[in-house]
Amino acid sequence: MQRARTDVLNLFLTAFVSAFLAAGVRRPFLFVLAYAYIDIVAPQKVTWGFLQSVPVSLIAFCCAFGAWMVAEDKNGIRLSPRQMVLLLLLIYCGLTTRTADFPEQALEKWGWVWKALVFALFLPLTLRTRLRIEALTLIMVLSVSVIVIGGGIKTVFSGGGYGELKLLVNDNTGLYEGSIISTVAICVIPLALWLARYGTIFRPNWMVWAFALALCFACVLMPVGTQARTGLVCFGVLLAMMLRSTKRRLLYLSLLGAGALVAIPLLPSSFSERMSTIQNHKADQSASTRVAVWKWTIEFAKDHPFGGGFDAFRQNAVSYDTEKADYAGDNNAVIQTERIEEKGRAYHSSYFEMLGEQGYPGLALWLLLHVMGVIHMEVIRRQYAKSPPEQFAWVTPLADALQQAQIVYLVGGAFVGIAFQPFCYMLVGLQCGLSAYIGRVRRAAPVPFRARRSVPAAAG
């Protein structure tokens, strides 16, 4: 029975990806969307047949770039300052790969990192209309939903567990790793709500809103199912940012309070126990490991200011003490200390990942890339915030959603190594595409950002 279900899934995904790529022959932009879907869902990991035997991701990438070269309009194309930063980061990462401390492992990681960076650099050149911007946003949201909805259903019926929730594929890498999917799932929430309200491909109606809200609920369940503390922190940050965007703040806060009162008693006890370790990292070996690796990385960067190349963490050796309290009643507790020694532990932080692998120059470029994104989205958000022309009513909410998603990524990145996660660079490309689109519209036909107030005629 299990084999039959696997065969059906294999055939469906193979047919779907093949049809997606075939449709790009008539509509070249679909190659871009196909690559985004393949890079997020990784169907080659899910299936065991044809898709595993061919480099489907590279094929989609080459088709997208080749179709753009042959069939797309290139008038008015220009690289933005942010794309230049992205290009510099790409070149710098290529140079550090050549001098990496672990050449084979670095080359393996470079094999997918360069595609993520080049695709983010390439995306804004293809996002020339609102429809394309919306289509890419939709594909990103739906692709993540393929992973999240199944995980949410399993969480409802089984409660999940740290390292126990099995997603679409039993592979603890990429978006299928608990902390990473928890962070990305929270990033998707503001984008899903924007599509439900302003979408034109699927216009707002009760079915669209029902799906969007169900997806958001599934996204919220991911930190519960994976018991990833990172996801809980990200969700708290998103709720705080959404307070700025909502008009009925008192109602929003009331709903949050009521939701918390209902949800907290229903949470699994294992989830509550794991979240309690946020207050004291010494009580949890995983958190203690992170702190020790971060300290090692700071010392490593002092001697290697230009980084050690990809996977430089393999040379670390850390030791730390964990504390466990055994309670004997009458408020008496015995504190037991255990010395732990580990080697080759990952950074568990995008910031320290950049510092250890790319050194201070790489970290500076990476921070500049994302800080510029937050600022650019704020500028666009404010320009179109009050009385925008009717055809641009969607701009401020999208800029707001993209800014929220990026800040969630930056917060989550403090606790998980996703400095080169392809989904997050698609967010960067989407932001650059929105900025470029607004710039082209303004240059082609200047439209006031705010509707002009009518001036009453003078009394005769």
Side-chain angles (χ1 to χ4, degrees), residues 418-429:
I418 50 176
F420 296 102
Q421 169 55 235
F423 176 87
C424 302
Y425 281 92
M426 290 182 199
L427 281 178
V428 171

Side-chain angles (χ1 to χ4, degrees), residues 107-280:
L107 196 60
E108 182 180 353
K109 183 172 180 178
W110 171 250
W112 59 266
V113 167
W114 75 263
K115 285 191 294 183
L117 296 178
V118 170
F119 190 64
L121 190 62
F122 166 67
L123 262 182
L125 307 181
T126 68
L127 302 178
R128 300 182 62 84
T129 64
R130 174 192 172 171
L131 179 61
R132 290 189 172 190
I133 292 172
E134 180 185 338
L136 178 61
T137 307
L138 179 64
I139 287 296
M140 291 171 62
V141 170
L142 292 181
S143 297
V144 173
S145 74
V146 171
I147 305 172
V148 166
I149 289 177
I153 293 173
K154 292 178 181 179
T155 299
V156 170
F157 288 101
S158 69
Y162 183 65
E164 298 179 5
L165 184 66
K166 306 302 180 186
L167 300 173
L168 192 61
V169 59
N170 189 16
D171 187 338
N172 195 37
T173 60
L175 286 185
Y176 294 99
E177 194 277 328
S179 295
I180 296 177
I181 189 59
S182 295
T183 300
V184 170
I186 302 302
C187 289
V188 159
I189 291 176
L191 299 178
L193 294 176
W194 178 83
L195 286 167
R197 185 176 180 185
Y198 295 97
T200 57
I201 298 174
F202 295 102
R203 294 190 177 276
N205 57 49
W206 72 268
M207 289 185 293
V208 170
W209 271 106
F211 177 81
L213 293 176
L215 174 58
C216 291
F217 181 63
C219 289
V220 173
L221 286 177
M222 291 311 299
V224 178
T226 61
Q227 294 190 2
R229 293 163 296 199
T230 303
L232 179 64
V233 174
C234 289
F235 185 51
V237 170
L238 177 62
L239 291 178
M241 288 190 294
M242 292 179 73
L243 179 62
R244 183 182 76 156
S245 304
T246 186
K247 295 180 180 178
R248 301 176 179 178
R249 296 181 179 177
L250 184 58
L251 176 62
Y252 176 78
L253 292 173
S254 300
L255 290 175
L256 285 185
L261 290 175
V262 173
I264 290 176
L266 300 177
L267 293 174
S269 59
S270 58
F271 174 81
S272 301
E273 291 172 1
R274 181 162 174 79
M275 294 307 110
S276 66
T277 61
I278 293 178
Q279 299 177 355
N280 180 18

Side-chain angles (χ1 to χ4, degrees), residues 168-400:
L168 192 61
V169 59
N170 189 16
D171 187 338
N172 195 37
T173 60
L175 286 185
Y176 294 99
E177 194 277 328
S179 295
I180 296 177
I181 189 59
S182 295
T183 300
V184 170
I186 302 302
C187 289
V188 159
I189 291 176
L191 299 178
L193 294 176
W194 178 83
L195 286 167
R197 185 176 180 185
Y198 295 97
T200 57
I201 298 174
F202 295 102
R203 294 190 177 276
N205 57 49
W206 72 268
M207 289 185 293
V208 170
W209 271 106
F211 177 81
L213 293 176
L215 174 58
C216 291
F217 181 63
C219 289
V220 173
L221 286 177
M222 291 311 299
V224 178
T226 61
Q227 294 190 2
R229 293 163 296 199
T230 303
L232 179 64
V233 174
C234 289
F235 185 51
V237 170
L238 177 62
L239 291 178
M241 288 190 294
M242 292 179 73
L243 179 62
R244 183 182 76 156
S245 304
T246 186
K247 295 180 180 178
R248 301 176 179 178
R249 296 181 179 177
L250 184 58
L251 176 62
Y252 176 78
L253 292 173
S254 300
L255 290 175
L256 285 185
L261 290 175
V262 173
I264 290 176
L266 300 177
L267 293 174
S269 59
S270 58
F271 174 81
S272 301
E273 291 172 1
R274 181 162 174 79
M275 294 307 110
S276 66
T277 61
I278 293 178
Q279 299 177 355
N280 180 18
H281 73 272
K282 289 186 177 182
D284 180 73
Q285 183 172 339
S286 174
S288 298
T289 300
R290 297 184 185 198
V291 174
V293 172
W294 296 348
K295 292 179 179 178
W296 176 90
T297 305
I298 293 173
E299 295 301 317
F300 177 79
K302 292 179 181 179
D303 298 326
H304 303 78
F306 297 101
F310 292 127
D311 281 11
F313 70 86
R314 294 177 181 274
Q315 59 195 292
N316 67 37
V318 298
S319 59
Y320 53 87
D321 295 322
T322 59
E323 296 179 354
K324 182 180 179 181
D326 291 332
Y327 292 94
D330 297 328
N331 296 324
N332 295 321
V334 177
I335 305 297
Q336 295 182 350
T337 302
E338 181 181 2
R339 188 69 175 175
I340 305 293
E341 295 183 359
E342 298 186 87
K343 295 182 179 180
R345 295 305 303 265
Y347 298 103
H348 289 291
S349 170
S350 299
Y351 301 89
F352 288 98
E353 178 185 1
M354 290 302 301
L355 179 60
E357 294 184 347
Q358 310 304 326
Y360 292 105
L363 176 61
L365 287 171
W366 184 80
L367 288 173
L368 179 61
L369 176 71
H370 291 291
V371 170
M372 289 175 69
V374 173
I375 295 174
H376 286 174
M377 292 303 99
E378 183 65 21
V379 169
I380 294 176
R381 178 184 178 277
R382 294 192 179 191
Q383 286 175 337
Y384 285 82
K386 295 182 180 180
S387 303
E390 184 178 354
Q391 66 270 32
F392 295 122
W394 57 276
V395 173
T396 286
L398 179 57
D400 198 23

Side-chain angles (χ1 to χ4, degrees), residues 13-131:
L13 285 176
T14 302
F16 179 76
V17 172
S18 300
F20 212 154
L21 292 173
V25 175
R26 291 189 57 123
R27 294 287 186 271
F29 181 68
L30 291 180
F31 284 130
V32 175
L33 302 183
Y35 177 79
Y37 166 80
I38 292 170
D39 221 28
I40 294 172
V41 179
Q44 63 271 29
K45 290 184 178 181
V46 181
T47 63
W48 51 265
F50 174 74
L51 293 182
Q52 280 192 342
S53 63
V54 297
V56 62
S57 177
L58 182 60
I59 291 173
F61 179 87
C62 292
C63 287
F65 186 76
W68 176 80
M69 289 290 293
V70 173
E72 288 289 317
D73 178 18
K74 302 172 188 63
N75 291 327
I77 285 179
R78 62 182 68 181
L79 291 181
S80 67
R82 199 168 175 214
Q83 285 173 283
M84 294 301 297
V85 173
L86 192 58
L87 179 60
L88 289 175
L89 181 60
L90 172 67
I91 295 172
Y92 183 80
C93 289
L95 294 175
T96 59
T97 301
R98 293 175 61 89
T99 60
D101 293 344
F102 296 87
E104 292 184 9
Q105 291 83 353
L107 196 60
E108 182 180 353
K109 183 172 180 178
W110 171 250
W112 59 266
V113 167
W114 75 263
K115 285 191 294 183
L117 296 178
V118 170
F119 190 64
L121 190 62
F122 166 67
L123 262 182
L125 307 181
T126 68
L127 302 178
R128 300 182 62 84
T129 64
R130 174 192 172 171
L131 179 61

